[in-house]
């Protein structure tokens, strides 16, 4: 059987890299979407370093906040590699601030990258998935979309919104062989978490029953599980990977 094609937005980041690797190990042809303000050199260096470690990934530029840029990205993927069967909406940012100090820019940037992106990217793959009768859409949300987080009104709103999107779209495409699910990691050992203010992270780790951060591969594993052909009866779910920090 022809390898299924997987697109991972934010594929060169901490969680993104682990997701790409797990999908590769599952036998998928993996394309990492990147933006970084159009800085291709970072993505190329990432691609080379992955190749040296035995992972062959394609890279493609796409600004997930821009509908037209996403249309171009999906056209390019379609022409060069084929139609996307597995989409992992993973691109995300933080702009933490207490709400009373939060600027309109901090609010809008986070909503655009973390939430508008779901529309901008998914819109260009959904009809093809419906026509082919197969699709896996996995949205990377966060524990903080489930429980809220002091200093993250923007991020918590966007991440909670992602799961609303998951549940609505899951209903619309369930009969077409497409599953749509959310994964909600807790605090993962990535660059994003390492940038938290000194002291804040220690306080959070103290609240985690497992007593440590998640490893990116622990998230990649769950994404690959949801992407598997056999995971065909799981849809509209939200799988928490948070070391027990939030149980509900
Ligand atoms: N609960 C209650 N009070 C808190 C608090 C908390 N969690 N964090 C800070 N405060 C209090 C401080 O004690 C201080 O109180 P006083 O004024 O009485 O002294 C006050 O809030 C500080 O408020 P400021 O408006 O001055 O805010 P600040 O500039 O100090 O920054 C903050 C506050 C933005 C919340 C900062 O502490 C921060 O960034 N915290 C981390 C937030 C966080 O968890 N981000 C997750 C990033 S990783 C990620 O998002 C990945 C993922 O999916 C999990």
């Amino acid at each position: 059987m022809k390898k299924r094609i997987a697109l991972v937005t934010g594929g060169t980041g901490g969680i993104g890299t682990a997701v790409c690797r797990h999908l590769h190990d599952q036998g998928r042809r993996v394309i990492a979407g990147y933006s970084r303000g159009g800085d291709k050199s970072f993505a190329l260096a990432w691609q080379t370093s992955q190749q040296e470690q035995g992972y062959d990934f394609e890279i493609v530029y796409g600004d997930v906040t821009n509908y037209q840029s996403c249309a171009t990205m999906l056209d390019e993927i379609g022409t060069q590699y084929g139609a996307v069967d597995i989409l992992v909406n993973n691109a995300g940012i933080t702009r933490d601030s207490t709400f009373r100090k939060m600027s309109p820019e901090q609010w809008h940037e986070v909503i655009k990258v973390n939430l508008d992106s779901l529309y901008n990217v998914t819109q260009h793959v959904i009809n093809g998935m419906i026509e082919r009768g197969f699709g896996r859409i996995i949205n990377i949300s966060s524990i903080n979309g489930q429980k809220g987080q002091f200093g993250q009104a923007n991020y918590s709103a966007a991440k909670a919104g992602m799961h609303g999107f998951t549940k609505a779209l899951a209903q619309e495409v369930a009969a077409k062989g497409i599953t749509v699910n959310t994964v909600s990691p807790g605090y993962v050992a990535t660059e994003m978490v390492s940038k938290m203010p000194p002291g804040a992270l220690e306080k959070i780790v103290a609240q985690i029953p497992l007593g440590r951060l998640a490893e990116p591969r622990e998230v990649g594993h769950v994404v690959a599980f949801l992407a598997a052909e056999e995971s065909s009866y799981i849809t509209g779910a939200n799988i928490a990977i948070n070391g027990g920090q939030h149980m509900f």
Side-chain angles (χ1 to χ4, degrees):
M1 193 173 119
K2 185 176 166 284
K3 277 190 179 188
R4 290 205 188 275
I5 295 177
L7 169 63
V8 182
T9 68
T12 62
I15 292 179
T17 301
V19 168
C20 288
R21 286 173 167 235
H22 277 79
L23 292 174
H24 171 277
D25 292 345
Q26 198 181 49
R28 314 309 193 172
R29 180 156 198 197
V30 181
I31 300 156
Y34 73 93
S35 170
R36 302 224 176 207
D39 178 8
K40 192 169 186 182
S41 60
F42 178 90
L44 281 170
W46 175 86
Q47 186 184 37
T48 305
S49 130
Q50 296 302 312
Q51 216 157 28
E52 285 163 4
Q53 297 169 63
Y55 290 93
D56 260 323
F57 299 135
E58 312 298 341
I59 50 170
V60 62
Y61 170 79
D63 174 0
V64 297
T65 68
N66 183 307
Y67 183 78
Q68 196 46 51
S69 173
C70 293
T72 306
M73 170 172 72
L74 268 305
D75 273 355
E76 195 183 323
I77 293 172
T79 310
Q80 292 200 34
Y81 314 113
V84 170
D85 304 301
I86 299 163
L87 169 63
V88 184
N89 283 310
N90 167 69
I93 59 166
T94 53
R95 294 289 181 267
D96 293 355
S97 160
T98 50
F99 180 70
R100 66 198 169 88
K101 289 185 187 168
M102 190 176 285
S103 69
E105 291 74 25
Q106 287 174 314
W107 174 264
H108 288 298
E109 276 181 52
V110 168
I111 299 295
K112 278 190 197 166
V113 176
N114 298 8
L115 187 58
D116 289 352
S117 58
L118 294 193
Y119 178 83
N120 293 338
V121 182
T122 312
Q123 188 62 227
H124 300 294
V125 303
I126 198 71
N127 285 328
M129 287 180 176
I130 290 171
E131 278 160 26
R132 294 187 305 281
F134 179 89
R136 296 279 181 269
I137 298 171
I138 300 146
N139 300 319
I140 309 298
S141 178
S142 164
I143 183 176
N144 293 342
Q146 301 182 295
K147 71 167 189 58
Q149 170 60 40
F150 192 107
Q152 287 198 311
N154 49 3
Y155 187 85
S156 300
K159 292 295 189 182
M162 290 179 91
H163 190 52
F165 172 88
T166 289
K167 290 187 285 186
L169 185 60
Q171 292 180 34
E172 292 185 22
V173 297
K176 309 289 183 190
I178 304 167
T179 65
V180 189
N181 291 290
T182 303
V183 166
S184 289
Y187 285 71
V188 185
T190 60
E191 195 186 331
M192 179 187 276
V193 167
S194 71
K195 281 184 181 157
M196 286 171 62
L201 185 57
E202 288 72 8
K203 281 187 196 148
I204 281 167
V205 172
Q207 298 161 11
I208 304 173
L210 254 74
R212 63 169 175 87
L213 299 177
E215 292 297 331
R217 63 181 162 74
E218 293 172 308
V219 179
H221 168 74
V222 176
V223 174
F225 164 74
L226 288 171
E229 311 289 310
E230 300 79 4
S231 294
S232 42
Y233 207 65
I234 305 173
T235 198
N238 188 356
I239 302 189
I241 313 169
N242 63 35
Q245 190 188 345
H246 181 57
M247 303 178 186
F248 54 93

